[in-house]
């Protein structure tokens, strides 16, 4: 049995290593693994159930997530939390929505940037996106977790690098009909929705729309400065279908 598991693991590692965008798959796998091992998944019996589970979730997110009030006035270790929070998620819907967006837009972006640059770009922009949200809500005691800021940066870079790549979207006001639009239509529309939602959002529990906007701007700006006009692709293979889940 151990030999079979070792062989399967070896094959999986070789498949990831030989993939055109290995770090995208590694990031997805890491987020999924940490979620499964954490209290939010409900899969780890060691955290208990009922009130004990809820208490464990609060403590876990406060320890590893971003708490703005502690980030700027707490212990030095709090400075690491924008990095650790990137790999944690609060629910199955939160995880699956983010991983869908990372898969759809991350593969082509990583292929263009290269695995090392893409990884540094992902973590760096994600860190700054969460830091920007925390700075705007410096008194908040709410824990913030999720890869949304980093994935939004990937969307911003994708928009600059592949503006004409066609993305399949499901629009609720058109009865969820799958329609294909170029990235320069879909992604600015998505960013506008985040901006509108951020204006109405509070610093309480919910979606950190401001982190999405900061990440999106950082990603677009990085691709613009780093690659210039010569890197833009006029036509590219269409990404996989995208749903309405938002990072």
């Amino acid at each position: 049995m151990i030999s079979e598991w070792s062989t399967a693991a070896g094959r999986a590692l070789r498949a990831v290593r030989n993939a055109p965008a290995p770090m995208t798959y590694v990031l997805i796998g890491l987020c999924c693994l940490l979620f499964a091992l954490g209290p939010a998944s409900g899969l780890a019996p060691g955290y208990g159930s009922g009130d004990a589970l809820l208490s464990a979730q609060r403590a876990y997110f406060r320890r590893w997530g971003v708490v703005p009030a502690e980030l700027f006035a707490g212990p030095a270790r709090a400075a690491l939390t924008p990095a650790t929070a990137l790999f944690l998620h609060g629910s199955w819907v939160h995880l699956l929505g983010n991983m869908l967006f990372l898969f759809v837009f991350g593969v082509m972006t990583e292929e263009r940037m290269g695995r090392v640059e893409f990884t540094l770009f992902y973590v760096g922009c994600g860190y700054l996106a969460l830091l920007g949200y925390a700075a705007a809500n410096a008194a908040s005691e709410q824990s913030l977790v999720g890869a949304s800021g980093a994935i939004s940066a990937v969307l911003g870079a994708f928009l600059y690098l592949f503006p004409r790549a066609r993305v399949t979207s499901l629009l609720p006001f058109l009865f969820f009909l799958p329609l294909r639009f170029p990235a320069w239509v879909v992604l600015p529309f998505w960013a506008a929705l985040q901006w509108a939602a951020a204006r109405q959002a509070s610093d309480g529990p919910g979606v950190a729309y401001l982190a999405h906007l900061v990440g999106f701007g950082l990603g677009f700006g990085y691709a613009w400065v780093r690659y210039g006009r010569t890197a833009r692709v006029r036509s590219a293979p269409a990404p996989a279908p995208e749903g309405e889940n938002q990072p």
Side-chain angles (χ1 to χ4, degrees):
M1 179 64 69
I2 295 178
S3 176
E4 292 178 358
W5 278 101
S6 177
T7 301
R11 290 175 178 172
L13 288 174
R14 285 193 296 272
V16 170
R17 189 167 54 247
N18 296 328
M23 291 312 302
T24 297
Y25 299 114
V26 168
L27 291 169
I28 291 173
L30 183 58
C31 287
C32 291
L33 177 61
L34 291 177
F35 180 78
L37 295 176
S41 69
L43 299 177
Y47 291 106
S49 60
D51 292 339
L53 178 60
L54 293 176
S55 178
Q57 291 174 356
R58 286 192 292 267
Y60 183 81
F61 292 140
R62 192 166 190 88
R63 173 65 180 83
W64 300 108
V66 177
V67 181
E70 295 182 0
L71 181 61
F72 298 108
R77 68 163 184 81
L80 296 176
T81 56
T84 58
L86 287 177
F87 300 95
L88 306 181
H89 292 83
S91 68
W92 284 98
V93 172
H94 189 200
L95 172 73
L96 296 177
N98 274 351
M99 295 306 99
L100 171 63
F101 268 66
L102 179 55
F103 174 74
V104 169
F105 296 99
V107 171
M108 290 173 62
T109 305
E110 182 184 348
E111 287 180 359
R112 176 51 58 90
M113 290 185 175
R115 62 187 67 178
V116 174
E117 182 179 349
F118 176 79
T119 303
L120 295 176
F121 163 81
Y122 180 91
V123 175
C125 288
Y127 185 101
L128 293 175
L130 293 179
L131 188 66
Y133 176 87
N137 299 276
S140 175
E141 295 284 345
Q142 295 293 333
S143 300
L144 178 65
V145 297
S148 304
I151 297 171
S152 296
V154 174
L155 267 62
F158 186 96
L159 173 60
Y160 184 83
L161 295 172
F162 307 102
R164 299 192 181 186
R166 302 188 72 82
V167 179
T168 301
S169 300
L170 301 178
L171 303 178
F173 54 85
L174 292 178
F175 305 102
F176 293 97
L177 293 175
L179 301 175
R180 291 175 63 79
F181 297 100
W184 67 266
V185 173
V186 175
L187 295 181
F189 178 71
W190 174 86
L193 291 179
Q194 307 308 300
W195 177 80
R199 295 189 61 187
Q200 301 178 2
S202 67
D203 66 349
V207 180
Y209 296 106
L210 180 59
H212 299 178
L213 289 172
V214 173
F216 188 84
L218 287 171
F220 187 88
Y222 176 86
W224 183 14
V225 172
R226 169 68 175 83
Y227 294 101
R229 296 182 61 85
T230 59
R232 304 185 77 173
V233 173
R234 291 185 176 275
S235 61
E242 167 197 337
E244 276 298 299
N245 288 321
Q246 296 182 4

